[in-house]
Amino acid sequence: MKRTLKPALKCQSCRPSPVALLTSFALILSCAAVRADSPLTLWYTHPATKWVEALPIGNGRLGGMVFGGVADEHLQFNEDTLWTGQPHEYQHEGAAKYLPQIRQLLFDGKQKEAEDLAMNEFMSVPLHQKAYQPFGDVHLLFPSHTNGTNYRRELDLDSAVAKVSYEADGVTYERQIFASHPDEVIVWQIRGSKPGRVTFTAKMTSPHASARTAIRDNNELALLGQVEQDGVKFESHLHVASKGGKVTVHDDSIMVENADSALLTLAAATSFKNYKDISAEPAARCATVMKAVAKKGFDGLLKAHLADYQKLFRRVQLDLGSTEAGKLPTDQRLKKVAGEPDPQLAALYFQFGRYLLIASSRPGTQPANLQGLWNDQLKPPWDSKYTVNINTEMNYWPAEVCNLSECHEPLFDLIDDCAETGHKTAQAHYGARGWVLHHNTDIWRGTAPINASNHGIWVVGGAWLCHHLWEHYLFTGDKEFLRKRGYPAMKEAALFFANFLVEDPKTGRLISGPSNSPEQGGLVMGPTMDHQIIRDLFANTAAAAAALGVDQEFAAHLDEMRKRIAPNQIGKHGQLQEWLEDKDDPANTHRHCSHLWGVYPGWEITPRGTSELCAAAKQSLLFRGDGGTGWSKAWKINFWARFLDGDHANKMLTEALAGNTFPNLLDAHPPFQIDGNFGGTAGIAEMLLQSQEVTVQSPKSKVQSPAAGVRVLDLLPALPKTWANGSVVGLHARGGFEVALFWKDAKLTRAEIRSLLGNSCLVRSGDQVLELATKPGGFYRIDGR
Ligand code: FUC
């Protein structure tokens, strides 16, 4: 049965849209108390016994993991600028001298010799980058609370407040904790149901050998140290105020006796100013923060926190129905998901990803690293740094589509920094203009190739990050951003590749190299992924130049070069070739599927526009299989969504939940790595709304470059059978649209589209299309039948 879509409401800019009404409704509610129970709550009937069971809180810069112990409550905390090392330039001066030789060895089929030469002469100095660090721990000791009953521990995503409650000695105790972005502190309230029964000792410790505590005044204790000699200094202040009772500060602890309630505020700071300067005074930074919050009290702090957080979080609502399993504690529910569909858990997981992005990435903070900003180890896995051959980018996949555009900003700051350091690397390693970033960076913004030549020499990290600059512009239409930040970095990255690409002696095509297809097949010339990313960079840079009315000749040059880059090829197994040569191993089930970049996050391979290549890409994914780490499965959700196969996307999501998720819903690579959470959230959005395609004239015309033409909004493109009824409100689409969708029995019943920029769009639902000319602020309602 065909469905008709027709505009039921024409543009009425004076008429408030339901989307706008929802926003004001959210604002009205923003001061309400924390809800006791909701589908947006992670909850448990016992304290965390391991770090990966504790509940994460964060304000973008400070992060905490709340264990919820009864007699020993533990908060492990982080600050996002605490790293090993100090300002340092990593480029290997003189490396460029060896570039022609490395390339020639590769052209001659001497890979081992090329890798050896590169390992000796071409790598970062030093060979490895630095590590993100834990900061400290706060323990609240309640020695008499040995028998806690009626225990509950929860994290409410709607308020970003974690809560622990239990009964002991005839008193109900309740602790609430949150990380406030506006006030820059972690706030903790401890209450007892009877007066005078709150008695505990707060202790501060840190895994750093240099750390010590110091009394600041009658209510405040400091924890301070330095990561390494000449390294980053750190300090945190813990302030305790009580209602009733007595507070005394000792050398390493604060005692609260017989109070009605206690309010703890924790500030933390380091000496890091920027990647070139670590001369700040952490003590002064903490003191400033503490002074500003001194008189606010718990209610004042909570009110400011809710107003700030809910303004972001409540922009998007997702309802996939309720399930029986939804009545269970989160850890028990996770155990069931493999055998019993739980769409409501998918909705919770989706919102948890949005929560984590708000908690780990705010304007002015560091971007989310491999663990967001949560880390308890001095030597975390992969140093908890920024791996840019998938992981860092995946962290930001949900930012625009899930209506958290501001949370994208820290990534743009990182790009600005890497464009500076990467300029030096481009010169030292390639004798090239522009900037280059290899497969990792750290807080010192290293851009040179690290670890080993077989995978460290991968040249398109910066180019991939530039895709995010263009995406930000496509979603927001922010020309000022494009002019001042997006285009300059894109242009310089494109300049690098305009210098770097070489002619393949066999085909005469332009190819990238030396480089590699991440973690597959070692150092090579011409990996498919590189070419997809460079084509994307060239196309987007040329489109940006056109949008800004600048650099016409340069843009034309990029267009010319783009057409000469080695194309995607279909190999003998019907697969999309990972390399120039047809040498893919169909039995390879490795987690990396890099040559499918052009399917997602790129868009040069689409089911409707390039169907043969798309079939080959799908074949490649089928060969790789459904296994993998958390991030790998998350990427596969997005691939299958782009292949318009909702059931397979949901299979990947379910397997990620069942096999790659810790009890606290954080991604289990394993070990914990946050990218899978963000990739999963983006994947769920991708199943419900896609907007990567642009058509030029009629709906039947082939998909062209997304730089110009009419944006296609694909509604419910990959809805799984088990999500038959539901709604989503507040997703964003490229071209500047806010979208709400409602469906029943797997059929779209209503779509509401708010045009933010006044662009036209083509709305597609199944095989039905409708062209919509919009005005800025216009609201359009479409009924599906
Ligand atoms: C690469 C991946 C791993 C992990 C690490 C940070 O080594 O293959 O799975 O994500 O980066």
Side-chain angles (χ1 to χ4, degrees), residues 370 382 387 391 519 591-592 629 631 669 673 675:
L370 279 176
W382 295 285
T387 307
N391 317 86
E519 296 181 35
R591 59 187 174 276
H592 280 275
T629 54
W631 65 256
H669 177 288
Q673 201 172 285
D675 38 29

Side-chain angles (χ1 to χ4, degrees), residues 16 98-99 109 163 180 239 250 265 291 366 462 478 497 623 633 660 667 708:
Y98 298 91
L99 179 65
K163 203 150 107 179
S180 165
H239 182 96
H250 304 267
T265 37
K291 197 170 165 212
Q366 293 299 309
D478 185 346
F497 288 101
F623 285 142
K633 286 181 186 158
N660 301 82
D667 168 52

Side-chain angles (χ1 to χ4, degrees), residues 747-764:
K747 298 239 181 295
L748 184 78
T749 52
R750 195 166 88 232
E752 293 168 0
I753 297 172
R754 189 150 67 100
S755 173
L756 307 172
L757 304 170
N759 289 322
S760 293
C761 65
L762 203 76
V763 180
R764 182 196 283 143

Side-chain angles (χ1 to χ4, degrees), residues 214-225:
I215 299 174
R216 281 186 51 80
D217 63 33
N218 291 343
N219 288 75
E220 205 164 293
L221 187 69
L223 171 79
L224 60 154

Side-chain angles (χ1 to χ4, degrees), residues 552-574:
Q552 247 180 29
E553 258 176 54
F554 177 60
H557 178 59
L558 293 182
D559 278 340
E560 275 309 302
M561 285 193 89
R562 180 167 53 83
K563 289 178 200 145
R564 291 183 55 207
I565 295 173
N568 290 307
Q569 300 178 83
I570 300 174
K572 60 182 177 242
H573 307 290

Side-chain angles (χ1 to χ4, degrees), residues 428-448:
H429 290 247
Y430 301 96
R433 296 175 64 191
W435 68 283
V436 62
L437 163 60
H438 293 81
H439 94 300
N440 260 271
T441 190
D442 58 6
I443 202 160
W444 315 114
R445 305 306 189 229
T447 46

Side-chain angles (χ1 to χ4, degrees), residues 696-771:
V696 166
Q697 279 163 351
S698 84
K700 291 204 175 77
S701 70
K702 284 246 163 98
V703 172
Q704 307 279 321
S705 157
V710 181
R711 182 63 53 185
V712 180
L713 268 49
D714 224 320
L715 314 184
L716 306 181
L719 194 68
K721 281 190 202 75
T722 51
W723 297 4
N725 301 304
S727 65
V728 65
V729 176
L731 291 182
H732 272 193
R734 294 171 189 82
F737 302 98
E738 188 157 310
V739 178
L741 304 171
F742 304 83
W743 65 96
K744 197 161 180 286
D745 302 327
K747 298 239 181 295
L748 184 78
T749 52
R750 195 166 88 232
E752 293 168 0
I753 297 172
R754 189 150 67 100
S755 173
L756 307 172
L757 304 170
N759 289 322
S760 293
C761 65
L762 203 76
V763 180
R764 182 196 283 143
S765 170
D767 55 3
Q768 296 296 299
V769 286
L770 171 80
E771 198 156 355

